[in-house]
Amino acid sequence: MNPYPGPIKAMVEGASQGESVHFPTGGAHPRSYTHAEDIAGLVLAVLEAPDDADRIFYGATAGRS
């Protein structure tokens, strides 16, 4: 068994149990996660836009990529 399973396991287990997840690394997490509803909303907005709408969009985070 891997003694360092990484943050994904902790996030999934915490979310499935309705708990907050904290990472005891002492620093900023190297990844930026976006909630699935936010991504779905962006996709729907693009798909439901008028036919003459610009289809170029940028989905970005507040932090560094």
Side-chain angles (χ1 to χ4, degrees):
M1 177 184 250
N2 182 357
Y4 306 103
I8 302 297
K9 182 177 185 300
M11 288 187 328
V12 170
E13 288 178 351
S16 67
Q17 296 169 7
E19 301 171 351
S20 294
V21 179
H22 301 278
F23 301 102
T25 61
H29 195 275
R31 303 270 192 280
S32 177
Y33 295 95
T34 304
H35 195 280
E37 284 185 11
D38 294 332
I39 295 169
L42 179 60
V43 171
L44 284 174
V46 170
L47 293 174
E48 293 174 348
D51 290 339
D52 61 346
D54 188 352
R55 293 291 195 259
I56 297 173
F57 68 92
Y58 298 93
T61 67
R64 279 184 0 184
S65 295

